[in-house]
Amino acid sequence: MKKRMKIWKKLLTGLIAAAGIMAAAFPVFAENTETAEMSARYSFYENGKEWSGDIKDNTCEAVPNGSYVTAMKATLQNQPAGMTGTIAYQVNLSGSGWIEWQENCVEAGASSGDKPLEAVKMKLTGELAEHYDVYYSVYQGGSWTELVMNGETAGVEGHGQRVAGLRVAVTKKGEVPAEPIMAGKADPTKPMIALTFDDGPSKVTARILDSLEANDARATFYMVGNRINSYPDAVRRMEALGCEFGNHTWAHTYLTKLSAQGIHDTLNQTSGTLQNIVGKRTTTVRPPGGYVNDSVRQALASYGISAVMWSIDTLDWKTRNAQSTINTVLSQVKDGDVILMHDLYSATADAAAVLIPELKNRGYQLVTVSELAEYRGGMQAGGVYYSFRP
Ligand code: ZN
């Protein structure tokens, strides 16, 4: 009932607003003619891997620890019509020094090589340079360098320091960039939880990934190894969205029924299958049925992996009812929770479509299990974890 009232209220507000616009000025769609702000789009090549996705203006994005960048490219979006110029960029490539300026998404650096970038310069050209500034910074030696602008050097050249990330922001002349967006990083001072999906992948996994993608959220998938090769696209998408790969054994076997060698074998088979598709191994294990004992713990410790259980059990496999899953989560959720669901049922995908935006709306950052653990004291191999409270 409450929900229906809300919808009516929304409709009414909309009608009043529309009437206001019509009365104020024709044409009705005048507001749509306002042009979007010009912004930078950029990407970089991670050594031996691939191009990052398109990075949005003023976003700090870096490669994982230990890795580095071998090339970059950039362009502009919503450039004002009739205004000449472009965004140009130059890189200092280790061993080669400064190489020529590039523009329009032409690669600067050497993506096919293994030499790191050491420093970066960027500038706007043509009429753009009179009306806009470009600010940029690189991630180097474990921190972001001070923002520089319009042709200045970002990064330390000639000392073997490797560029491991990039931030680019275009502003109107004289304006300074807003606080940067931190790509893929949670704010450790704010609440966070980990959604986990067991027993997949399956044909409903794609819908759950749709909900995660639409809300810029991540989850951890505890996959059954023998299903992975049937859903390679789902697995690749998990990787692209920053989701985490968990291990749920090759054939959903209870670990308490296996020898130490049997445990190692079933985890390895699952991890190896995943590695063949995305080049990554599984990070933690969720014991099927939640069964662990001392010998399982020892086997996991010697394999170098920890077990992650859950603090909220939605019982989605039993109820197959989206509303029940939604209510269970929303009535219990607290900072540091690990939530158990299964990406096998369409009711679970329905629940995820509601839960993911609503949890974000309530201020929860939806992170992977390993990220949650990282901010909350970490994990030990052989440890068994139920939640990660602040
Ligand atoms: Zn299971």
Side-chain angles (χ1 to χ4, degrees):
M1 194 60 204
K2 210 172 163 193
K3 197 169 180 188
R4 188 168 290 177
M5 292 269 293
K6 248 189 192 161
I7 292 167
W8 274 110
K9 208 172 158 192
K10 234 184 201 167
L11 270 174
L12 202 60
T13 319
L15 276 172
I16 292 166
I21 289 167
M22 289 209 276
F26 266 104
V28 179
F29 300 112
E31 57 182 343
N32 290 347
T33 61
E34 197 182 314
T35 50
E37 285 294 333
M38 187 172 78
S39 62
R41 284 289 181 282
Y42 49 104
S43 58
F44 52 68
Y45 197 90
E46 181 184 351
N47 177 44
K49 289 241 163 162
E50 60 190 349
W51 287 98
S52 66
D54 242 6
I55 307 168
K56 288 180 186 156
D57 194 276
N58 202 22
T59 302
C60 284
E61 183 154 330
V63 297
N65 270 346
S67 191
Y68 58 89
V69 168
T70 57
M72 62 152 292
K73 52 193 183 183
T75 188
L76 295 168
Q77 281 205 327
N78 304 313
Q79 181 163 349
M83 197 178 284
T84 65
T86 183
I87 188 168
Y89 41 96
Q90 185 184 32
V91 301
N92 188 300
L93 185 65
S94 190
S96 307
W98 290 101
I99 50 183
E100 74 254 46
W101 287 89
Q102 297 294 356
E103 55 187 38
N104 297 324
C105 266
V106 174
E107 168 179 330
S111 60
S112 55
D114 62 358
K115 296 282 191 290
L117 303 191
E118 295 190 2
V120 170
K121 291 178 186 174
M122 303 187 80
K123 65 182 180 189
L124 297 168
T125 63
E127 291 164 358
L128 284 178
E130 296 161 30
H131 299 276
Y132 292 88
D133 292 316
V134 56
Y135 286 85
Y136 45 100
S137 159
V138 295
Y139 192 74
Q140 195 171 48
S143 62
W144 289 95
T145 60
E146 206 178 320
L147 265 186
V148 294
M149 64 192 290
N150 300 340
E152 295 172 338
T153 301
V156 176
E157 43 185 301
H159 292 274
Q161 293 245 56
R162 311 187 299 189
V163 167
L166 187 61
R167 170 191 178 192
V168 183
V170 170
T171 63
K172 283 192 175 135
K173 197 96 204 155
E175 287 179 8
V176 290
E179 281 297 304
I181 301 155
M182 302 304 291
K185 274 284 172 194
D187 179 344
T189 65
K190 296 195 175 129
M192 58 182 95
I193 54 175
L195 298 181
T196 64
F197 296 92
D198 288 14
D199 295 359
S202 82
K203 61 184 196 305
V204 309
T205 307
R207 280 177 58 209
I208 292 169
L209 292 170
D210 289 345
S211 299
L212 290 168
E213 184 171 19
N215 294 282
D216 203 11
R218 298 183 288 287
T220 303
F221 291 85
Y222 285 99
M223 295 185 288
V224 171
N226 66 20
R227 304 184 64 94
I228 291 174
N229 277 332
S230 305
Y231 300 94
D233 290 345
V235 173
R236 282 188 205 103
R237 232 182 123 199
M238 288 173 194
E239 157 79 356
L241 296 178
C243 291
E244 182 169 16
F245 301 111
N247 202 315
H248 203 43
T249 77
W250 180 253
H252 209 271
T253 316
Y254 296 163
L255 299 181
T256 44
K257 300 200 164 168
L258 293 172
S259 65
Q261 188 58 51
I263 290 173
H264 291 189
D265 289 345
T266 194
L267 296 180
N268 252 335
Q269 199 177 357
T270 302
S271 213
T273 303
L274 180 72
Q275 191 168 25
N276 286 339
I277 299 176
V278 289
K280 277 195 175 165
R281 296 184 68 81
T282 54
T283 49
T284 58
V285 58
R286 168 151 299 148
Y291 296 112
V292 284
N293 58 23
D294 282 342
S295 36
V296 169
R297 282 190 198 97
Q298 278 170 25
L300 296 180
S302 66
Y303 188 84
I305 201 167
S306 29
V308 175
M309 313 296 259
W310 54 87
S311 52
I312 296 182
D313 187 351
T314 62
L315 297 175
D316 60 336
W317 59 274
K318 201 171 177 182
T319 70
R320 311 275 178 100
N321 179 306
Q323 197 56 51
S324 163
T325 297
I326 294 165
N327 294 348
T328 302
V329 173
L330 295 181
S331 65
Q332 297 181 35
V333 64
K334 291 189 298 291
D335 192 3
D337 268 324
V338 177
I339 297 169
L340 171 61
M341 290 185 271
H342 298 79
D343 54 330
L344 284 185
Y345 312 107
S346 82
T348 299
D350 295 341
V354 175
L355 277 173
I356 290 168
E358 180 56 21
L359 288 165
K360 287 203 82 174
N361 195 29
R362 294 188 182 197
Y364 291 103
Q365 303 172 90
L366 305 186
V367 299
T368 64
V369 164
S370 288
E371 280 178 279
L372 183 57
E374 185 189 325
Y375 290 116
R376 302 285 167 76
M379 287 184 278
Q380 302 267 321
V384 180
Y385 300 88
Y386 294 81
S387 65
F388 299 91
R389 303 281 178 222

